[in-house]
Amino acid sequence: MDSTRTKAQNSVTEGEINEVVEVRRPVVLGLFATGIVPAGQPRSPPNVPQPIEIDTSSHFATDREENDRDELIKWARSVSQSLRFAIIVRRSDSGEKRKAQLVLECERSGKYVPAKKKLKSDTSGTRKCECPFRLRGYYNKATKLWRLTVVNGMHNHELDKGLEGHLVAGRLKPQEKDFMDEMTRNAVAPKNILSTLKERDPENKTSAKQVYNARHRYRVKMRASMTEMQHLCKKLDDNKYYYKYRTVVENGVEHLQDIFFAHPRSITLLNSFHTVLMMDSTYKTSKYKMPLFEIVGYTSTEKTFNVAFAWLSNEKEDNFIWALQQLRCLLRRETNLPKVILTDRDLALMNAIPAVFPEAAALVCRFHVKKNVRTKAAELVKEVM
């Protein structure tokens, strides 16, 4: 009797505990709990964008025939540019060794194939979306004429509002390439080259990046198999520059340490106006991260001229002493030594000047003095405010 009552009490106690536990137990929803649909209600279908289909077949359906396939390609590209998309030549053969054929496709056709070599940036994009647009050219042996037919005139992407930035539409023409090479030889700025191309042809779609790429390809072609240092020395020799350089051997490999160069006309001006010289270094002027040491002269008519330049591996006293020694070699007489040398507050340069030009007075440039005073004054004003 007692044991039965004890079991009943124990069962009641366990039931009460379970009830309390069930009430206090928090309800934990999943990560996507907001999308839960109650039972008995149908789930709405996901919002899937409708596929894009733009038919351009009617614009290319023509009985046009040409003697040269290039003229047929030119016509097809003119029509595509009016519709705001670009055409590429997938396959082309004149028929001399193989069967004459011509296949034109949209520039966004095909599938992107990632590079096997890992790039610096992992984020990459592509314009390719497997566009099915395709034109095919046929060569009639009887009439010896080319004719174009439409295989598929559909596009699975929206057409752009303009052709700016399209590589095919902005491709340089042969005469434009010759003009680009000529302007690059004459050291014309890329922005001026691009503006001139736009003025000559208002329909030109070349971008600034394509101008830079064309300049780079031309320079690589001119350099051929020479290294960049060999090409620089060749250019200095061709223009009759005075130049000296020194190297350093690290781990069994010879590297350029410093290079000094000056134009012949600058040397003539230096020997005529050698009283006052100004020296300063600039930074971030090349991909090699070497400071450019610039020496400027001052004429009797209050005009400045470039005396010489030097690429230095470091801004240490030894580097400046070597550069100043090369500068002293440009002076034809010992009496033509500079009397005043203006610099910024670079201690290594200020210590190197007395070692090479002991009689010259080293002064701090007024511009740098004003700049330092203005910076210090701004800091003091902020502290007071």
Side-chain angles (χ1 to χ4, degrees):
M1 188 73 175
D2 295 338
S3 60
T4 304
R5 184 180 299 175
T6 304
K7 291 181 179 179
Q9 290 177 354
N10 292 340
S11 62
V12 172
T13 305
E14 291 177 357
E16 292 177 353
I17 292 174
N18 292 335
E19 184 179 358
V20 172
V21 171
E22 289 177 359
V23 172
R24 293 182 180 179
R25 181 180 299 168
V27 179
V28 180
L29 298 178
L31 181 62
F32 302 98
T34 56
I36 294 177
V37 178
Q41 295 183 8
R43 182 184 293 271
S44 59
N47 294 328
V48 179
Q50 296 295 328
I52 299 175
E53 292 185 354
I54 300 177
D55 191 2
T56 59
S57 302
S58 59
H59 298 276
F60 296 93
T62 178
D63 296 334
R64 188 185 186 93
E65 293 181 342
E66 297 288 348
N67 295 325
D68 189 3
R69 73 181 190 280
D70 293 336
E71 293 295 329
L72 201 62
I73 295 173
K74 185 177 179 181
W75 175 83
R77 282 181 170 169
S78 63
V79 175
S80 65
Q81 289 182 8
S82 63
L83 298 174
R84 299 296 185 269
F85 74 95
I87 283 180
I88 61 173
V89 180
R90 179 63 64 185
R91 288 189 298 273
S92 176
D93 199 312
S94 60
E96 296 179 358
K97 296 182 180 180
R98 294 179 296 182
K99 183 180 178 181
Q101 59 177 341
L102 175 64
V103 177
L104 305 179
E105 293 182 355
C106 176
E107 67 170 349
R108 302 190 65 177
S109 63
K111 189 176 181 180
Y112 174 70
V113 179
K116 296 181 179 180
K117 184 178 179 181
K118 186 177 180 181
L119 303 176
K120 294 182 179 178
S121 177
D122 294 335
T123 59
S124 59
T126 178
R127 296 178 59 89
K128 295 183 178 297
C129 61
E130 301 184 19
C131 179
F133 178 86
R134 173 173 290 194
L135 305 176
R136 185 180 295 275
Y138 292 95
Y139 179 72
N140 192 338
K141 294 183 179 180
T143 60
K144 296 182 179 181
L145 296 175
W146 285 86
R147 187 175 179 181
L148 198 66
T149 60
V150 180
V151 179
N152 192 336
M154 303 298 294
H155 293 270
N156 62 352
H157 58 88
E158 294 183 356
L159 303 182
D160 296 332
K161 296 180 180 180
L163 292 176
E164 296 294 338
H166 286 250
L167 299 181
V168 178
R171 187 175 296 168
L172 294 172
K173 300 175 183 177
Q175 60 271 20
E176 293 176 340
K177 289 182 179 180
D178 296 338
F179 171 76
M180 176 80 65
D181 297 344
E182 182 181 357
M183 293 295 100
T184 303
R185 286 195 301 270
N186 295 328
V188 179
K191 62 178 182 180
N192 296 334
I193 296 177
L194 183 60
S195 62
T196 306
L197 290 174
K198 301 289 185 181
E199 290 177 1
R200 290 187 172 187
D201 184 8
E203 299 297 328
N204 185 281
K205 306 298 181 182
T206 305
S207 62
K209 184 174 179 59
Q210 289 176 305
V211 172
Y212 278 97
N213 291 341
R215 283 162 51 89
H216 175 71
R217 287 192 295 268
Y218 173 74
R219 289 173 176 174
V220 171
K221 182 178 68 174
M222 294 300 295
R223 195 176 67 191
S225 60
M226 294 185 294
T227 63
E228 294 183 354
M229 186 60 196
Q230 291 173 342
H231 186 63
L232 174 61
C233 293
K234 180 180 180 300
K235 287 295 182 181
L236 294 175
D237 283 330
D238 294 342
N239 294 279
K240 300 180 180 180
Y241 272 75
Y242 170 88
Y243 69 97
K244 294 288 183 181
Y245 64 90
R246 61 175 182 172
T247 58
V248 61
V249 179
E250 295 180 356
N251 300 326
V253 181
E254 188 177 12
H255 299 278
L256 175 69
Q257 185 176 5
D258 304 308
I259 181 170
F260 177 94
F261 54 95
H263 193 271
R265 189 174 180 183
S266 298
I267 298 175
T268 304
L269 291 173
L270 173 63
N271 285 272
S272 301
F273 307 100
H274 51 78
T275 305
V276 180
L277 295 179
M278 293 174 283
M279 303 178 183
D280 195 8
S281 297
T282 59
Y283 303 90
K284 300 179 182 179
T285 54
S286 69
K287 63 180 181 180
Y288 303 104
K289 299 181 181 179
M290 297 176 65
L292 177 65
F293 182 54
E294 183 177 6
I295 304 172
V296 178
Y298 197 75
T299 66
S300 58
T301 56
E302 300 182 356
K303 301 292 183 180
T304 59
F305 64 95
N306 294 320
V307 176
F309 301 90
W311 293 104
L312 305 178
S313 58
N314 293 297
E315 282 193 304
K316 296 183 178 180
E317 188 173 334
D318 175 66
N319 301 91
F320 285 120
I321 289 177
W322 179 85
L324 294 178
Q325 287 175 348
Q326 305 309 315
L327 174 64
R328 184 161 184 168
C329 294
L330 301 180
L331 300 172
R332 296 166 185 160
R333 299 179 182 178
E334 287 295 327
T335 56
N336 291 348
L337 298 179
K339 302 298 187 296
V340 179
I341 297 178
L342 299 176
T343 65
D344 59 349
R345 198 176 178 276
D346 191 337
L347 298 180
L349 178 58
M350 296 178 69
N351 294 332
I353 290 174
V356 182
F357 301 105
E359 298 181 357
L363 303 179
V364 180
C365 177
R366 184 185 300 175
F367 171 80
H368 292 90
V369 173
K370 288 184 177 180
K371 184 178 179 181
N372 294 336
V373 170
R374 189 182 298 108
T375 303
K376 187 66 176 178
E379 294 177 357
L380 294 176
V381 171
K382 288 181 181 180
E383 293 177 358
V384 172
M385 296 298 291

